[in-house]
C-alpha cells in the first residue's frame, strides 16, 4: 500500500485502471464542486436557481417543463425557482406558443448575473490552472475534450450535460460534448 492507502503499482492492470478511474472521478468531481461554489458566491443564489438562470439564458423561450428536464428538477421545483428568479428581476415570463405554456426569458439584469456566475467560475478555475504550464493546460483541455467527445447521444442529454456551460464561448470553439446535437 502507498502512503495514501492506494494499492502498490504491482497489482493487476485492470485493478490499476479502476483505481485511476476512481481517483480521476474524485478529482473531476472536486473541480466541479469548486466551480459550483464560485458560481454560488457571485449572487448568493441557491444552486438550483443558478442552474435555472443559466439554462434560461442558454435556451430563450424555453418552457418551465423544458427547464425542469434540463436542470433535473420536478415541475413544481422549477416553478419555485423561476418564481424566485422573477422576484429578483432576473427572468420574465411571456406568453408562450399556446395559452397553456409560458416562455421564459432572462432580463438584462439576469444576463449580467449569469455572466457574472460564469466569469467567477472561470476565474476560480483559472487560478488553479496557473499551477500548470501553458503546455499542460492545453494538454488537459485536449484530454478532457477527447474524453467527453460525443458523449451526448441526443439534444436533451446534451442540454442536461451542458446546463452550466458558457454556451456563447463553447459553441464558437466547437462543443465536444454534444457536437451536432446541440
Amino acid at each position: 500500500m502507498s502512503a495514501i492507502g492506494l494499492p502498490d503499482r504491482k497489482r493487476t492492470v485492470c485493478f490499476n485502471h479502476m483505481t485511476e478511474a476512481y481517483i480521476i472521478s474524485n478529482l473531476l468531481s472536486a473541480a466541479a464542486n469548486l466551480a459550483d461554489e464560485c458560481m454560488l458566491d457571485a449572487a448568493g443564489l441557491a444552486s438550483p436557481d443558478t442552474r435555472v438562470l443559466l439554462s434560461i439564458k442558454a435556451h430563450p423561450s424555453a418552457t418551465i417543463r423544458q427547464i425542469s428536464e434540463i436542470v433535473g428538477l420536478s415541475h413544481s421545483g422549477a416553478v419555485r425557482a423561476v418564481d424566485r428568479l422573477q422576484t429578483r428581476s432576473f427572468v420574465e415570463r411571456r406568453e408562450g406558443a399556446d395559452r397553456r405554456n409560458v416562455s421564459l426569458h432572462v432580463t438584462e439584469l439576469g444576463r449580467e448575473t449569469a455572466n457574472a456566475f460564469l466569469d467567477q467560475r472561470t476565474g476560480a478555475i483559472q487560478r488553479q490552472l496557473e499551477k500548470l504550464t501553458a503546455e499542460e493546460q492545453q494538454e488537459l483541455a485536449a484530454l478532457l475534450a477527447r474524453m467527453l467527445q460525443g458523449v451526448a447521444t441526443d439534444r436533451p442529454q446534451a442540454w442536461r450535460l451542458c446546463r452550466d456551460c458558457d454556451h456563447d464561448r463553447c459553441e464558437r470553439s466547437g462543443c465536444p460534448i454534444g457536437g451536432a446535437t446541440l
Side-chain angles (χ1 to χ4, degrees):
M1 286 289 216
S2 70
I4 59 171
L6 297 176
D8 292 327
R9 290 287 186 195
K10 296 177 184 175
R11 303 278 178 157
T12 65
V13 172
C14 179
F15 183 80
N16 284 338
H17 286 302
M18 286 303 296
T19 300
E20 289 169 2
Y22 286 120
I23 291 169
I24 291 168
S25 174
N26 288 342
L27 293 171
L28 289 173
S29 180
N33 290 338
L34 172 66
D36 277 352
E37 286 179 8
C38 293
M39 285 196 320
L40 295 178
D41 289 344
L45 291 177
S47 180
D49 295 1
T50 303
R51 289 200 160 97
V52 168
L53 180 60
L54 291 172
S55 295
I56 295 170
K57 177 182 178 280
H59 307 286
S61 300
T63 65
I64 288 179
R65 182 187 60 75
Q66 290 168 324
I67 294 299
S68 72
E69 291 172 0
I70 291 168
V71 178
L73 291 174
S74 66
H75 187 271
S76 61
V79 168
R80 288 190 301 273
V82 169
D83 287 344
R84 288 188 297 270
L85 293 169
Q86 188 171 18
T87 297
R88 293 187 65 178
S89 300
F90 293 153
V91 300
E92 61 185 20
R93 291 173 165 102
R94 297 182 190 162
E95 190 172 314
D98 63 45
R99 293 187 186 264
R100 293 175 295 160
N101 290 307
V102 296
S103 64
L104 303 171
H105 300 268
V106 294
T107 62
E108 188 55 38
L109 178 61
R111 186 175 326 290
E112 290 170 7
T113 302
N115 288 337
F117 292 148
L118 297 170
D119 290 345
Q120 190 126 352
R121 178 190 66 189
T122 300
I125 297 299
Q126 181 58 44
R127 286 188 291 281
Q128 300 311 309
L129 288 173
E130 288 171 359
K131 298 173 185 176
L132 305 176
T133 66
E135 184 178 288
E136 289 170 330
Q137 290 179 37
Q138 290 173 348
E139 184 177 348
L140 177 61
L143 289 170
L144 289 170
R146 192 168 93 202
M147 185 177 87
L148 297 170
Q149 183 72 42
V151 71
T153 57
D154 59 22
R155 186 175 300 244
Q157 184 182 27
W159 285 355
R160 284 190 306 276
L161 293 173
C162 296
R163 67 180 172 252
D164 294 340
C165 291
D166 185 344
H167 291 269
D168 296 335
R169 291 186 180 132
C170 192
E171 288 173 359
R172 283 194 305 261
S173 62
C175 175
I177 304 232
T181 64
L182 291 173

